[in-house]
């Protein structure tokens, strides 16, 4: 293969996916030689019938006259070089081995950041775009523990659980991989560009699409096979019975990956998906990050990457308020009674404590302890 970008070129042909693309390049050696193929040459290739061969011949004629594929290729090659993106084709030595071994691995990946050998024992964490506070807390706990033990966290950079997973990995000093359903120059959602930039410095952002590809709906189911293909196991935190997380779980099972689900409240609609997987014996129950690591036979790092936990000073009144709170939500009226603080001043104190990360406010004026340590 003289030009690695031949994998990019062949991906732009009609009706050509991973298997056919690899077969064509293997048979003809280069895209330039492929353009000279006759119909009889093409139908000798496994997976190419006469109708597909005729469509390809039409595309070849168009390319020889107009050169649209070549212009697109050179545009992406130049843009990738200018921005420091790497290009990995499916035969490249650095292409992730677990992903190469799925049924339909991407012909190529544009990468913003760096892939390492340790990423090949990653865990994917996916879920709803509208997580409950419980879902966020569980995601934070699991991802923080994985990151501290040197396990890479894989997700899709979407709102909700994906965002929490990436952000927690980054804050915990761990590695994370973000797989896009758009091109690297069209980060979606755009508000997560900051997370993408951090990920590029502490992991990798990947896409199998041209650099300026829009986040069209058809891209995301295909994106999900890469998320599960990169990992050893996949965890669904919260999801409805349909949606991207459930597609990821189904694809992961097809790829012979272990699927785990976090149990949720029967009163939460976002528990329906995980509970459905459990009822149908399609997933294992995940009760702790340690249990998941044990089930996947992942050897944690010898010295967990412990990050110093923030410590803040509290006033005497704030200490009295904090003493009444736990992981269980407590309504403000009950908190006022227990702490003996007037409701008016209690609201002010709680706001200051929330700014410090000591407590969390939940819908309905309920409060619970946060993750920051206090003196």
């Amino acid at each position: 293969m003289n030009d690695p970008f031949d994998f990019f070129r062949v991906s732009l042909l009609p009706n050509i996916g991973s298997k056919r693309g690899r077969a064509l390049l293997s048979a003809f050696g280069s895209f330039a030689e492929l353009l000279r193929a006759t119909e009889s040459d093409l139908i000798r290739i496994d997976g190419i019938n006469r109708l597909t061969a005729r469509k390809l011949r039409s595309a070849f004629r168009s390319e020889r006259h107009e050169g649209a594929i070549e212009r697109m290729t050179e545009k992406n090659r130049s843009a990738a070089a200018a921005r420091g993106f790497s290009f990995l084709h499916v035969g490249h030595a650095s292409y992730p081995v677990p992903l190469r071994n799925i049924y339909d691995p991407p012909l190529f990946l544009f990468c913003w950041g760096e892939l390492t050998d340790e990423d090949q024992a990653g865990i994917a964490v996916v879920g709803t775009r509208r997580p409950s506070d419980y879902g966020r807390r569980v995601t934070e706990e699991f991802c923080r523990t994985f990151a501290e033990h040197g396990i890479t966290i894989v997700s899709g950079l979407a709102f909700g659980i994906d965002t929490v997973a990436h952000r927690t990995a980054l804050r915990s000093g761990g590695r994370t991989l973000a797989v896009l359903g758009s091109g690297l120059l069209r980060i979606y959602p755009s508000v997560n560009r900051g997370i993408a930039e951090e990920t590029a410095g502490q992991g990798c952002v990947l896409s199998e699409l041209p650099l300026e590809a829009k986040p069209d709906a058809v891209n995301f189911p295909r994106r999900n096979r890469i998320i599960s293909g990169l990992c050893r196991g996949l965890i669904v935190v919260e999801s409805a019975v349909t949606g991207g997380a459930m597609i990821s779980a189904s694809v992961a099972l097809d790829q012979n990956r272990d699927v785990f689900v976090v149990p949720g409240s029967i009163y939460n609609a976002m528990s329906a998906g995980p509970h459905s997987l459990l009822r149908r014996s399609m997933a294992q129950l995940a009760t702790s990050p340690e249990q998941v690591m044990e089930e996947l036979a992942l050897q944690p790092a010898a010295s967990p990457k412990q990050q110093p936990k923030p410590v803040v000073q509290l006033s005497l009144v704030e200490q009295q308020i904090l003493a009444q709170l736990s992981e269980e939500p407590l309504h403000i009226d009950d908190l006022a009674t227990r702490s003996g603080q007037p409701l008016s001043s209690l609201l002010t104190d709680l706001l200051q404590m929330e700014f410090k990360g000591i407590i969390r406010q939940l819908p309905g004026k309920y409060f619970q302890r946060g993750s920051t340590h206090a003196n």
Side-chain angles (χ1 to χ4, degrees), residues 257-295:
R257 304 297 195 257
D258 288 303
V259 175
F260 300 85
V261 297
V262 174
S265 167
I266 62 173
Y267 302 109
N268 181 0
M270 292 299 107
S271 298
H275 292 177
S276 172
L277 292 172
L278 283 175
R279 285 198 310 273
R280 291 178 289 160
S281 301
M282 296 174 68
Q284 304 176 59
L285 186 66
T287 57
S288 73
E290 292 80 9
Q291 174 239 329
V292 172
M293 289 189 290
E294 181 179 353
E295 295 283 354

Side-chain angles (χ1 to χ4, degrees), residues 292-332:
V292 172
M293 289 189 290
E294 181 179 353
E295 295 283 354
L296 292 174
L298 289 174
Q299 297 296 324
S303 299
K305 301 174 182 177
Q306 299 286 355
Q307 297 294 305
K309 296 181 177 178
V311 177
V312 299
Q313 299 294 324
L314 297 184
S315 68
L316 182 59
V317 171
E318 289 173 333
Q319 292 178 36
Q320 291 172 346
I321 295 171
L322 187 63
Q324 308 305 319
L325 292 172
S326 66
E327 290 295 312
E328 292 299 318
L330 184 66
H331 193 268
I332 189 169

